[in-house]
Amino acid sequence: MRYYIADLHYYHKNLIKRMDTRPFATIEEMNEKMIEIHNEVVRKNDEVVFIGDLSFGNGKETMEIVKRLNGIKYLIEGNHDHKYLQDKDFDTRVFRWIAPYKELKDNKRKVVLCHYPILFYNGQYRNDENGVPNTYHLCGHVHDTQDNKLLNEFILRQRQIEVTNRNEEKAFMNSEIINCFCMFSDYRPLTLDEWIEVNNKRLEAYKNSQK
């Protein structure tokens, strides 16, 4: 099983009181709860892709966290990860790979991974034989902020645009950009199918709130 999650920000104290206003009293409480939730979901031989901003801690602190997390781990670099990745006390070999951008296969679907939202991503126009999108872009970075609202607006608007697909048929444009912000899943790493469901429900709720 493969799981994805973004913007956990272990050791980032400011996110408890500002921006995210996470429901924890201390970073220690936040760290322990997120480790607990991770290990309830991810088993030893599962894969988990962290889509950037895993930790705000130093090398030693982050190393201790990562060692406690179950699974075969991969990292898409975010803007806050360089702090511990460049620290001599952090062993990058705890990740199977580290990359700023990656394209993977997940149950015959393409997954485009980048910490930053890509508005026009590789494979965006591709559907399966049933007309269902088979390329998804998983990202993070924008949390649940004004930038995320703008991203919601872009996705919903883009899905209303009619285009000609590869079979010369008229269809609405695909926009399968999924913000895998950890608070959208209650800090639980999710599978691609689970993130698709969460994202669609979130976009529907946002659309209804704008009426």
Side-chain angles (χ1 to χ4, degrees):
M1 193 73 73
R2 182 188 294 154
Y3 298 94
Y4 308 88
I5 195 163
D7 295 297
L8 286 158
H9 284 265
Y10 283 98
Y11 282 102
H12 203 157
K13 184 178 180 180
N14 285 346
L15 294 188
I16 295 174
K17 293 184 177 180
R18 297 189 306 188
M19 197 163 95
D20 291 352
T21 58
R22 300 188 182 189
F24 306 104
T26 63
I27 55 172
E28 290 78 17
E29 180 188 346
M30 178 179 74
N31 290 349
E32 289 301 318
K33 187 61 178 177
M34 293 196 302
I35 292 170
E36 177 187 334
I37 292 171
H38 176 103
N39 289 336
E40 285 175 353
V41 176
V42 180
R43 299 294 175 238
K44 180 180 178 181
N45 293 320
D46 290 334
E47 296 180 309
V48 57
V49 181
F50 299 105
I51 313 173
D53 288 2
L54 171 63
S55 173
F56 200 64
N58 60 33
K60 183 174 184 296
E61 292 167 334
T62 305
M63 194 69 193
E64 290 171 355
I65 293 286
V66 177
K67 281 184 173 181
R68 293 177 62 190
L69 299 175
N70 289 343
I72 301 165
K73 296 172 278 283
Y74 307 85
L75 178 68
I76 294 292
E77 294 177 72
N79 51 302
H80 288 296
D81 294 305
H82 64 90
K83 178 180 178 180
Y84 65 85
L85 288 176
Q86 295 175 3
D87 192 323
K88 62 180 177 58
D89 292 324
F90 188 82
D91 186 354
T92 57
R93 291 174 296 180
V94 292
F95 297 114
R96 183 68 59 89
W97 50 250
I98 301 170
Y101 176 94
K102 204 82 169 179
E103 294 182 6
L104 305 177
K105 285 291 185 181
D106 191 315
N107 292 328
K108 299 181 180 179
R109 295 164 295 186
K110 177 186 279 190
V111 178
V112 176
L113 296 163
C114 184
H115 180 61
Y116 310 100
I118 302 171
L119 301 186
F120 302 97
Y121 52 90
N122 187 25
Q124 186 167 0
Y125 293 95
R126 294 178 184 172
N127 296 326
D128 64 17
E129 62 275 10
N130 298 313
V132 177
N134 64 3
T135 302
Y136 296 84
H137 169 37
L138 306 189
C139 61
H141 189 59
V142 294
H143 294 231
D144 189 13
T145 62
Q146 181 64 40
D147 287 347
N148 181 61
K149 292 178 182 178
L150 292 172
L151 181 61
N152 291 343
E153 293 282 353
F154 178 85
I155 294 168
L156 293 171
R157 177 67 182 273
Q158 195 174 46
R159 287 181 177 182
Q160 296 173 352
I161 298 173
E162 193 174 57
V163 295
T164 302
N165 63 23
R166 298 172 72 188
N167 298 321
E168 299 301 318
E169 300 169 334
K170 291 293 184 180
F172 289 105
M173 191 170 182
N174 297 340
S175 190
E176 300 299 332
I177 304 170
I178 302 178
N179 177 9
C180 297
F181 176 43
C182 64
M183 291 184 73
F184 291 158
S185 63
D186 293 326
Y187 310 98
R188 294 172 61 87
L190 300 181
T191 64
L192 175 58
D193 287 312
E194 289 171 331
W195 273 117
I196 292 170
E197 182 179 359
V198 166
N199 192 54
N200 287 336
K201 287 180 178 177
R202 212 173 43 75
L203 287 170
E204 187 64 27
Y206 177 79
K207 185 168 65 174
N208 291 335
S209 74
Q210 302 305 301
K211 291 180 179 178

